[in-house]
Amino acid sequence: MTEVYLSLVIGVLYAAGLYLMMCRNIAKFIIGLGLIGHGANLLIFTAAGLSTQRAPIVPEGVTIPVVPIVDPLPQALILTAIVIGFGLTAFVLALFLSAHEVEGTDDLEKMRSTDQ
Amino acid sequence: MLYAVMSGFVAAALLPLLHRFLGERSSLIAALVPLALTVWFATCFSRVASGEVLVSQSSWLPEIHLELGFRLDGLSLLFALLISAIGALVIPYTSAYLHGNPRQHQFVSATLMFMASMLGVVLSDNLVLLFIFWELTSFTSYLLIGFDHEKEESRKAALQALLVTGLGGLFLLAGLLLLGTAAGSFSLSEILRADGALAGHADYTLFLGLILVGAFSKSAQTPFHFWLPNAMQAPTPASAYLHSSTMVKAGVYLLARLNPVLGGTEAWIGWLTAVGVLTLLTGALMASAQVYLKRLLAYTTVAALGFMVMLLGIGSARAVQAAVVFLMAHACYKASLFLVAGIITHETGEADVRRLGGLLRFMPVAGACSVVAAVSMAGLPLSFGFVAKELVYASVLDRLLVFIPAVAASLLFVLVAFQVGIKPFLPGSSDSSGTPHEAPPAMLAGPVILGLACLAGGFFPQAFAGALAASAAAAIQGGPVSELDLQAWHGITPESVASALTLMLGIAAVFATGHWVRIGSAMKPLADFGPDRVYLAELKGLNLLAVWQTRVLQSGSLRRYVAIIVLAMVGLFVLSVLRSGELPILNRNTPLTLPSLILGLLIMLGAIGSMIATSRISAVAALGVVGFCVSLIYVLHGAPDLAMTQLVVEALGAVLLVSAFLNLPSFHDRKRWVGRFRDAVVAILGGLAMTLMTLMANDVQLAPSIAHYFAETSVLLGHGRNIVNVILVDFRALDTLGEITVLAIAGASAVALLKLRMAGKRRS
């Protein structure tokens, strides 16, 4: 059941994020980007298989975990994704702030020909 | 042979340097390259004539079976001699023709490059190598046609020639690859050895068709003929060299080359004969409507190329010999006539045959050359053209459907030969203003030598061309060298009667020139409905399509981009679900606990809250709630590392957003409710697709999990107890390094952007 429920949560995160990205507003766009980032991370997390087993840490004294542990690989991927997501947010933020300064607007529809 | 081909490229590269020191004299030095090549190829003659095939192999890219393999047999030698000899005449001509033009060396450089590429085409043993050189000739032709790039006409003509022959080149590439695959080798020598087997191959029709399109487009066969007359925008030396005597014959060369393996079938005979005859008639008909020297010559070139293709299509021993001799004769007289036409226009500034006349007084040498070449073109006895025409007639006499077009075209040759080669020099209706002078020796050398060749071929055909033509014909037929007896005069035979008839009709037509021109101009509107028009329409259509799709897809509106991406994704998803018929089956089922339920609910509320929030701070707060709850979900499912990272990032992000948002003026959706509704629909579709995708992803396990490997080796190999960390810094350390680099770049860019912004602020 948790899979279905979380899938629904992911869908809501994406829908809200996409909607915000389509608003003609810089700030809303960035919030939307953040929501989609969460959605994507949760997607990998859910698709890799949920479990309530032990965290992937080898206890002191043994070289191989004795009890079943959660698959560590998706976690490594998501960890990377979280950090990269943060970098992306920071960059987009700086970009938009500069664009706002240059264009004199925070309306994305008016930023059509900034590459000239 | 590799050096022979490459010498042209090297010379082309060195020429600009030489030009800096020597000025225009460098062009004359450049002419030594083709001259040396001519001598070298001539020394190979005796060996090739005895039936030997000279081969040189050097390795280039053995992994993809691409060797720098060259072979020299009778057919290649004939072309190689034509290319280098005419090149040696054209380059000095250029130095005088473009005298004073600061870009002269560029033209000569491109000509040398062309010569080398063309030699590559006719000498290549490897099919792919042949194709590379084939494309290089198109490319250098583009450079030469568009030499006067300030003129729009030149640019258009150059582009047209490039597009038409380039398109044909793509067909050719596909055809050659199929041919090589079918033959099991890309070496021409190997393919030619396996003759007969390919004609029965399952893909025969396919690769034959593709190769024919390539060859026809290059050799200006109908319906691709239109680029050639337009290419007359090129300076005359290029027209004389590329567009009459060498490059346009590349298609003919290819057909002749592949005749032993592809020829002789019904499809081959049918297509080549039909297209050849059609081209012959098109060229003849269109020529009658022309009044400009070079365009007149261009259309007769089209007709002559039709002749050659037709003869190759007939494919009998006689027809092949006729094709070879005709090709030689045509190269001699056509190049000569072009060069003289260039002289006339150069000296008088006039290109309209109706206004040219009486030039013999001013330029007797050019006039004499012109008359000799014209006589050869008209096919008067004791000229090379006559010998060729007799052979052509002899091979088509028994085929009425081919014979009549052949006579019609020969008739036209008489007419055009008179108009272009003789009439400008006759006293009469001339009102040429000023006093034109005889051309300088450098310009006359070409016509004089080619004129002598026309005469030598007429008086002593066997001695002049017999052995070369015989070995070329043998190579085309793929058999041993057979006897070819060329005679200046055969006595009264059916073909000489036909010849005489053609001549008489032709001379009659000459006297009725006025009517001809009138009939011709009446037919001119017809030309507008030709393939030229189709080409223009296609080009225009392509442009419109590009503009349209750019306007629709690349509107510059971020909103629309997002919508297009989402809808495309949803569409592809629906399509793949419909095709596979799969729906989520939910084979994993973890029971839903109360904490998860509450966290999920909070996440959804947070998402919706940040969506409808009216103030910046509340939106950031809602986003924070989402991030916090997501990290708790990680905790619930055994991922403490993720949770910790998420929490830190969330806190940092919140600070960043709040401080940045202070600088933004507004936080409201700028759309009216219709737009909002539309976006909501798109967003909900996207969300729904993601939900379904997640569910379906839950069902598949493409590869077995490798979790146990990490669990077993984390301590032993990685010396760490936190397996996720060990994966990041040890097993996948390179990935992490890449990630850190990305992060560093993003950070540096952000700082740079902000600095820029502050600098801008300070200025204002």
Side-chain angles (χ1 to χ4, degrees):
Chain A
M1 261 337 267
T2 321
E3 283 84 3
V4 180
Y5 183 59
L6 278 187
S7 301
L8 192 68
V9 171
I10 291 165
V12 171
L13 279 173
Y14 266 96
L18 288 173
Y19 182 83
L20 283 169
M21 284 174 88
M22 285 185 280
C23 293
R24 296 160 47 180
N25 186 301
I26 292 178
K28 282 183 181 271
F29 183 93
I30 292 170
I31 302 267
L33 206 61
L35 287 179
I36 286 183
H38 287 310
N41 291 342
L42 269 185
L43 196 161
I44 304 176
F45 197 68
T46 313
L50 294 171
S51 79
T52 44
Q53 286 162 336
R54 286 290 181 83
I57 293 171
V58 187
E60 288 293 333
V62 289
T63 52
I64 295 171
V66 274
V67 288
I69 54 157
V70 175
D71 190 343
L73 191 59
Q75 293 194 18
L77 297 180
I78 296 168
L79 208 141
T80 310
I82 294 172
V83 178
I84 290 282
F86 175 68
L88 181 69
T89 309
F91 177 72
V92 171
L93 209 54
L95 184 69
F96 276 177
L97 282 178
S98 305
H100 171 232
E101 204 74 33
V102 173
E103 293 281 304
T105 175
D106 67 339
D107 182 354
L108 285 167
E109 286 294 290
K110 288 184 184 150
M111 291 187 188
R112 284 195 182 203
S113 51
T114 41
D115 51 349
Q116 279 164 11
Chain B
M1 253 180 286
L2 176 63
Y3 298 115
V5 173
M6 288 305 153
S7 64
F9 289 116
V10 174
L14 290 180
L15 191 65
L17 202 69
L18 207 62
H19 176 80
R20 186 169 294 172
F21 296 114
L22 294 172
E24 286 190 4
R25 267 168 298 173
S26 60
S27 301
L28 290 175
I29 294 172
L32 292 177
V33 177
L35 196 63
L37 285 173
T38 315
V39 173
W40 187 77
F41 283 122
T43 57
C44 296
F45 176 62
S46 59
R47 286 166 70 196
V48 171
S50 64
E52 195 182 339
V53 178
L54 309 182
V55 178
S56 100
Q57 287 278 357
S58 20
S59 173
W60 183 16
L61 294 171
E63 296 86 359
I64 54 168
H65 309 292
L66 188 51
E67 285 104 32
L68 286 174
F70 296 100
R71 72 198 293 274
L72 185 67
D73 63 359
L75 178 64
S76 299
L77 182 66
L78 168 66
F79 272 90
L81 273 174
L82 276 180
I83 293 160
S84 47
I86 297 181
L89 298 175
V90 161
I91 290 178
Y93 180 91
T94 308
S95 74
Y97 185 83
L98 291 177
H99 178 64
N101 188 323
R103 286 167 57 233
Q104 187 195 104
H105 62 288
Q106 292 176 5
F107 187 88
V108 175
S109 195
T111 310
L112 283 171
M113 252 194 295
F114 163 75
M115 182 194 71
S117 321
M118 192 65 207
L119 282 175
V121 169
V122 300
L123 294 177
S124 288
D125 183 44
N126 186 296
L127 288 181
V128 179
L129 193 64
L130 187 149
F131 172 78
I132 292 172
F133 284 121
W134 179 283
E135 290 294 278
L136 274 174
T137 62
S138 292
F139 170 68
T140 43
S141 155
Y142 171 78
L143 291 180
L144 289 169
I145 299 173
F147 183 68
D148 291 326
H149 55 73
E150 286 93 357
K151 285 201 316 208
E152 197 193 352
E153 289 294 308
S154 295
R155 293 200 303 271
K156 270 191 181 159
L159 188 66
Q160 188 180 54
L162 185 72
L163 288 179
V164 174
T165 55
L167 188 72
L170 290 180
F171 279 90
L172 178 69
L173 178 63
L176 289 180
L177 291 179
L178 279 174
L179 172 67
T181 316
S185 164
F186 281 91
S187 157
L188 266 173
S189 305
E190 301 253 326
I191 294 171
L192 290 173
R193 221 169 285 145
D195 59 344
L198 282 171
H201 194 273
D203 290 337
Y204 173 76
T205 326
L206 185 59
F207 58 69
L208 176 69
L210 291 167
I211 291 174
L212 287 187
V213 172
F216 288 166
S217 68
K218 192 80 164 182
S219 276
Q221 301 292 300
T222 308
F224 304 112
H225 64 270
F226 58 94
W227 71 264
L228 184 57
N230 291 342
M232 291 302 123
Q233 291 292 337
T236 305
S239 307
Y241 192 25
L242 277 72
H243 306 121
S244 74
S245 47
T246 53
M247 187 185 91
V248 288
K249 295 198 172 96
V252 175
Y253 165 79
L254 189 72
L255 296 177
R257 173 51 76 214
L258 295 174
N259 181 49
V261 281
L262 297 181
T265 61
E266 247 170 59
W268 172 276
I269 296 173
W271 275 107
L272 261 66
T273 318
V275 172
V277 168
L278 199 63
T279 310
L280 194 73
L281 292 176
T282 312
L285 214 62
M286 302 296 287
S288 57
Q290 304 301 323
V291 290
Y292 293 106
L293 286 173
K294 283 174 72 182
R295 285 186 81 87
L296 265 167
L297 287 172
Y299 275 113
T300 58
T301 307
V302 170
L305 292 167
F307 246 126
M308 293 173 215
V309 169
M310 176 193 91
L311 288 167
L312 286 175
I314 293 172
S316 65
R318 235 183 193 174
V320 168
Q321 288 172 348
V324 171
V325 177
F326 181 72
L327 186 147
M328 294 166 79
H330 177 259
C332 290
Y333 72 68
K334 192 53 76 62
S336 178
L337 284 175
F338 260 112
L339 294 178
V340 174
I343 292 177
I344 294 174
T345 310
H346 193 253
E347 297 295 328
T348 63
E350 184 59 71
D352 188 336
V353 285
R354 288 170 302 186
R355 274 180 294 194
L356 283 167
L359 292 174
L360 194 62
R361 283 181 289 157
F362 304 110
M363 35 178 91
V365 181
C369 297
S370 181
V371 170
V372 168
V375 162
S376 184
M377 180 173 176
L380 257 59
L382 294 181
S383 70
F384 203 7
F386 176 75
V387 177
K389 197 175 55 175
E390 294 286 279
L391 275 175
V392 172
Y393 277 174
S395 60
V396 297
L397 259 181
D398 51 343
R399 293 175 177 78
L400 206 59
L401 267 180
V402 180
F403 179 68
I404 293 170
V407 171
S410 305
L411 192 76
L412 175 98
F413 285 180
V414 177
L415 184 68
V416 173
F418 173 78
Q419 283 192 310
V420 175
I422 300 177
K423 184 176 166 282
F425 296 96
L426 287 182
S429 63
S430 145
D431 57 346
S432 300
S433 50
T435 49
H437 299 286
E438 184 66 277
M443 284 177 96
L444 284 174
V448 167
I449 291 172
L450 289 169
L452 287 177
C454 290
L455 286 177
F459 281 96
F460 317 105
Q462 186 59 22
F464 181 70
L468 185 58
S471 70
I476 296 174
Q477 296 225 285
V481 178
S482 56
E483 274 306 301
L484 170 62
D485 186 25
L486 295 177
Q487 285 182 358
W489 178 250
H490 282 273
I492 307 286
T493 51
E495 51 266 31
S496 58
V497 172
S499 249
L501 198 70
T502 317
L503 270 178
M504 279 193 291
L505 282 172
I507 291 167
V510 165
F511 282 108
T513 311
H515 301 291
W516 263 111
V517 172
R518 232 171 291 138
I519 296 169
S521 31
M523 273 188 305
K524 214 162 186 178
L526 273 180
D528 291 341
F529 290 99
D532 207 354
R533 190 138 167 164
V534 176
Y535 165 85
L536 282 178
E538 266 170 29
L539 215 58
K540 208 169 157 191
L542 205 63
N543 275 339
L544 284 178
L545 184 72
V547 168
W548 174 81
Q549 75 94 20
T550 310
R551 208 177 43 226
V552 170
L553 296 178
Q554 306 287 321
S555 57
S557 159
L558 192 65
R559 213 177 115 216
R560 193 179 275 187
Y561 288 162
V562 173
I564 288 174
I565 291 170
V566 171
L567 290 177
M569 181 200 77
V570 171
L572 286 173
F573 176 68
V574 169
L575 206 70
S576 70
V577 167
L578 284 181
R579 280 183 60 173
S580 66
E582 280 175 31
L583 278 174
I585 44 173
L586 309 174
N587 58 0
R588 280 189 199 142
N589 214 340
T590 317
L592 185 62
T593 56
L594 189 64
S596 294
L597 187 72
I598 296 171
L599 287 172
L601 211 60
L602 281 174
I603 293 175
M604 288 192 273
L605 284 176
I608 293 167
S610 64
M611 197 169 79
I612 56 174
T614 48
S615 83
R616 283 164 271 185
I617 297 298
S618 53
V620 174
L623 184 63
V625 169
V626 171
F628 186 71
C629 294
V630 167
S631 64
L632 285 181
I633 286 196
Y634 293 146
V635 170
L636 281 182
H637 294 95
D641 284 296
L642 293 189
M644 283 190 287
T645 317
Q646 182 73 68
L647 281 176
V648 173
V649 164
E650 209 52 52
L652 265 176
V655 173
L656 206 66
L657 287 180
V658 170
S659 57
F661 282 2
L662 290 176
N663 288 308
L664 293 178
S666 65
F667 195 73
H668 60 87
D669 192 342
R670 289 201 170 75
K671 294 172 317 230
R672 277 180 304 208
W673 70 270
V674 182
R676 289 185 194 196
F677 179 72
R678 200 174 46 205
D679 288 357
V681 169
V682 172
I684 288 170
L685 279 175
L688 214 58
M690 291 314 291
T691 299
L692 283 171
M693 261 187 243
T694 316
L695 284 174
M696 291 174 82
N698 254 315
D699 297 337
V700 276
Q701 177 92 37
L702 287 176
S705 166
I706 50 169
H708 61 93
Y709 170 80
F710 293 121
E712 283 157 17
T713 54
S714 175
V715 175
L716 293 176
L717 296 178
H719 302 289
R721 299 196 169 273
N722 184 331
I723 303 177
V724 175
N725 289 2
V726 172
I727 291 176
L728 282 174
V729 300
D730 195 321
F731 292 122
R732 302 178 61 92
L734 211 59
D735 271 8
T736 309
L737 183 70
E739 182 214 345
I740 292 171
T741 316
V742 170
L743 205 61
I745 293 172
S749 318
V751 170
L753 280 168
L754 291 176
K755 274 225 167 113
L756 207 69
R757 181 166 158 262
M758 274 184 252
K761 224 175 229 175
R762 223 170 290 137
R763 257 203 308 278
S764 61

